[in-house]
Amino acid sequence: MDRPVLIAGAGPVGLTMAMALKRQGVALRIIDKAAARSDKSKALVLWPRTLEMLDIQGCVQPFIETGMKATGVRILDRHHTLVHVRLDAARSRFPYALMLPQSDTERLLEEQLALLGVHVERHVELVSFTDNKDIATAALRHADGSEENTDYSYLAACDGAHSTIRHGLAVQFDGDTLPSDWLLADVELDGDLPNDELTICWTPDGVLALIPIRGARFRVIADLGHASAQNASAPTLVEVQSLLDERGPTRLSAHDPVWTSRFRINERKVNDYRHGRIFLCGDAAHIHSPAGGQGMNTGMQDVINLAWKLAMVWHGRASSELLESYSPERSAIGEQVLRNAGTMTKVAIVRNPILQEIRNLAVGALGRISALRQILVDQLTEVDLHYHHSPLTRMLPSASPKPAPGERAPDLPVNHTDSGATRLHEVLADGKFALLSVSAPTIKLPDALKAIATTTGTVATDDYRAGYIYLIRPDAYVAMSTKTENRDLLLAELQAMVGTA
Ligand SMILES: Cc1cc2nc3c(=O)[nH]c(=O)nc-3n(C[C@H](O)[C@H](O)[C@H](O)COP(=O)(O)OP(=O)(O)OC[C@H]3O[C@@H](n4cnc5c(N)ncnc54)[C@H](O)[C@@H]3O)c2cc1C
C-alpha cells in the first residue's frame, strides 16, 4: 500500500499513533487544526502500563527523566488514613505513577516524532472526508483558507472529544454528563503534605484530591456538589483556599495559581471504534471521569493496539481482517475504564452522612487486606488489562495458565541472538510477534512467518512456566501458548491469525 495514513489531531493520542506507525516504516501525515501545541497540564499521570508501551517504542527514558515518581496513594477520612496503597508494589519495571503534565508529554512525544523525521502540520483542519471502500479521502483546510483533497489508505481520528470525524460518521456518543460541578486548580501549596503521593480526602462536604505535579506544585480537584446553574467564572485563589481549609488533611496554604478551571464529568463512548477505513481513537472514542486518571493513558494504549496491526496490513504482511480486532479489544477496555472511573467517582462524592459512614468503614476495613490492596494497585497501574475475549486470543490445548492467553506479557530477560536484545519488551520493538520458548529450545520459524514474527528463549520465572511456548503480540499481550511439542499447531494458528495478505 503506498498511500499514507492520515492522523487527524496531534494531541497525545495522535502523536503516539504517528510515532508507533513511523517506527514501523508506515508513510503518514499528522495534522492539527490548532496553530500551536496546548500548554494545558490536563492529564498528569503516566501509569506503568503506558510506560511499558513507551519502553517498547524505545523512548521511555526522556519521560522518566522529566517526570516525577509518585509512589503511593492515600485516601483519608479528613484526618485518618482509610487506605494507603504503595505503587512500588506494581508488577512492572516502572513501579510508580509518573507525574508529568500533559503539555510535557505532548512536547516529548513531538520531539520523538521529529527524531523519526515527522513534523506535525499545524493550522491544518480536517473539514470533511469520505470512505470510498478502497481509499479514504479527506478535505483539509490550511491556515490561508486554501483546501486540498487527498487520498489516504486509512484515517485515524485522534481529534479529541468533539471529534469532527465522529460527527461526520454520525455515530452515537452514548452516555451522560454528571450533574455535579468540579473545580481544578494547579497551585503551589505550603504545608505538611507528601509530594510523592496522591492524597484524596473524603470529607462530609465532598472530595478533595491533592495531586503532586513537581516540587511544591499540586493539582487541587474538588467536587462542588449539584450546582443549579453552571458558574462560568474561573475559580479564584480565595475559593481554592477555603476548600483547602474546609477539607484539607492539614493546614495548607495555596499561592501562585498557574491554571484554574471548572468542569463537569462526561461519561461517553462509541460502540464501534472502526468504520471501514476510519478508526476512532482516544477521546474521539471515549471520555470519562478523571478519577483514576486513565483517559489519556487509555487513548495512548488504543493507538499502540492499532499501530502494529495497521503497520502489518499496510506493508502487506497481514490480511486486513487483522484490523477487525481493534474495535472489540479497545471497546471492551473503554467500557471497563468507564465503569471503574464512574464507580470511583460515585463512591467519592456520596453526600448522605450515613452512606459516607458506611463507605468509610467498608473501605477502611477492605484497605487493610493486602490482597485487595494489590488488586487496587494492579487496576490503577493498568497491568490487569487483558484481551481474554478478543478474536486474536486463542485457547490452544495445554495452554499455560500463567500468563494466560489474552493477558499482559510481563517483561523478562531473554536471549535474542538476532538483535542482541536482552529483554522481551526490547525484542517487541521491531513490531513483530515474539515466539518465546521457556526453558526449551527456540523454535525454527518457517520463512513465510519471518516478516511478522521472531523467536527468542528464556528460562522459567514466577511469571512464565517451563516447557511452554508463548506467542507474544507486538503490544506485549499473550495471544496464545502451548506445550513446546505443539509448536506446529501454534505456528498454524499464527498463520491463520494474520491471514493471507
Ligand atoms: C482537567 C482535565 C484533567 C485530566 N486528567 C487526566 C489524567 O489525570 N489522566 C488521564 O489519563 N487523562 C486525563 N484527562 C484526559 C486527557 O486530557 C484526554 O484524555 C487527552 O487529552 C485525550 O487525548 P487525545 O489526543 O485523544 O485528544 P486531545 O488531547 O483533545 O487532542 C485532540 C487534538 O485534535 C485536534 N483537532 C480537533 N479537531 C480537529 C480537526 N478537525 N482537524 C485537525 N485537528 C483537529 C485538536 O486541536 C487537538 O490538538 C484530563 C482531562 C482534563 C480536561
Side-chain angles (χ1 to χ4, degrees), residues 9 12-13 32-33 43 102 126 159 164 184 283 293-297:
V13 173
D32 200 293
K33 70 178 180 184
Q102 186 170 326
L126 180 145
D159 49 350
T164 306
L184 172 155
D283 274 19
Q294 276 159 341
M296 179 185 76
N297 286 262

Side-chain angles (χ1 to χ4, degrees), residues 8-14 31-34 42-45 47 102 106 122 124-127 158-165 184 219 221 259 261 263 281-284 286-287 290 292-299:
V13 173
I31 58 159
D32 200 293
K33 70 178 180 184
K42 295 194 282 185
L44 289 180
V45 188
W47 292 108
Q102 186 170 326
E106 292 182 27
R122 297 209 175 268
V124 180
E125 179 175 5
L126 180 145
V127 285
C158 304
D159 49 350
H162 304 288
S163 169
T164 306
I165 298 181
L184 172 155
R219 170 164 300 168
I221 295 184
W259 183 37
S261 179
F263 66 95
C281 315
D283 274 19
H286 49 78
I287 48 170
Q294 276 159 341
M296 179 185 76
N297 286 262
T298 306

Side-chain angles (χ1 to χ4, degrees), residues 48-309:
R49 188 58 174 152
T50 308
L51 295 174
E52 289 183 351
M53 298 295 173
L54 293 173
D55 182 34
I56 291 169
Q57 298 299 315
C59 68
V60 75
Q61 209 47 40
F63 293 83
I64 292 174
E65 283 162 13
T66 314
M68 196 210 55
K69 295 172 185 169
T71 52
V73 181
R74 289 187 304 159
I75 300 181
L76 308 180
D77 161 13
R78 189 83 206 255
H79 303 292
H80 305 106
T81 301
L82 297 174
V83 191
H84 187 195
V85 288
R86 303 279 320 167
L87 295 171
D88 47 18
R91 302 178 219 246
S92 169
R93 288 189 79 216
F94 309 103
Y96 42 79
L98 189 73
M99 309 309 296
L100 189 65
Q102 186 170 326
S103 44
D104 281 335
T105 298
E106 292 182 27
R107 174 178 58 79
L108 292 169
L109 285 168
E110 200 167 342
E111 284 172 13
Q112 291 301 316
L113 202 52
L115 291 176
L116 297 169
V118 178
H119 296 277
V120 177
E121 298 176 48
R122 297 209 175 268
H123 226 142
V124 180
E125 179 175 5
L126 180 145
V127 285
S128 65
F129 59 92
T130 47
D131 180 353
N132 304 318
K133 204 160 178 294
D134 295 329
I135 48 161
T137 307
L140 309 184
R141 188 183 296 135
H142 290 260
D144 61 3
S146 63
E147 280 201 12
E148 63 161 302
N149 274 283
T150 314
D151 296 337
Y152 301 93
S153 51
Y154 296 97
L155 294 188
C158 304
D159 49 350
H162 304 288
S163 169
T164 306
I165 298 181
R166 191 188 64 239
H167 285 296
L169 289 167
V171 294
Q172 293 291 318
F173 203 30
D174 290 328
D176 297 309
T177 303
L178 303 187
S180 57
D181 283 345
W182 292 74
L183 169 148
L184 172 155
D186 287 356
V187 291
E188 303 271 320
L189 287 184
D190 293 339
D192 185 16
L193 188 66
N195 72 352
D196 60 351
E197 295 203 322
L198 287 73
T199 302
I200 297 158
C201 307
W202 287 348
T203 75
D205 300 323
V207 66
L208 176 80
L210 303 167
I211 303 165
I213 302 177
R214 192 173 294 145
R217 185 171 298 170
F218 282 77
R219 170 164 300 168
V220 178
I221 295 184
D223 81 292
L224 307 174
H226 292 244
S228 45
Q230 205 167 357
N231 181 352
S233 62
T236 61
L237 198 54
V238 173
E239 191 178 353
V240 175
Q241 186 61 53
S242 88
L243 282 161
L244 291 169
D245 294 342
E246 283 163 20
R247 304 184 190 179
T250 172
R251 170 78 198 146
L252 295 168
S253 157
H255 57 97
D256 291 311
V258 284
W259 183 37
T260 63
S261 179
R262 297 180 197 276
F263 66 95
R264 281 197 171 170
I265 293 173
N266 276 289
E267 296 183 330
R268 294 176 190 279
K269 184 182 151 296
V270 297
N271 266 333
D272 268 324
Y273 284 33
R274 181 186 181 189
H275 297 263
R277 292 188 168 265
I278 299 157
F279 298 90
L280 295 167
C281 315
D283 274 19
H286 49 78
I287 48 170
H288 25 81
S289 159
Q294 276 159 341
M296 179 185 76
N297 286 262
T298 306
M300 289 169 75
Q301 291 177 39
D302 286 345
V303 290
I304 293 290
N305 177 297
L306 179 58
W308 67 265
K309 298 170 184 172

Side-chain angles (χ1 to χ4, degrees), residues 316-321 495-501:
R317 296 171 188 150
S319 124
S320 61
E321 280 167 35
Q495 181 67 68
M497 184 188 288
V498 295
T500 311

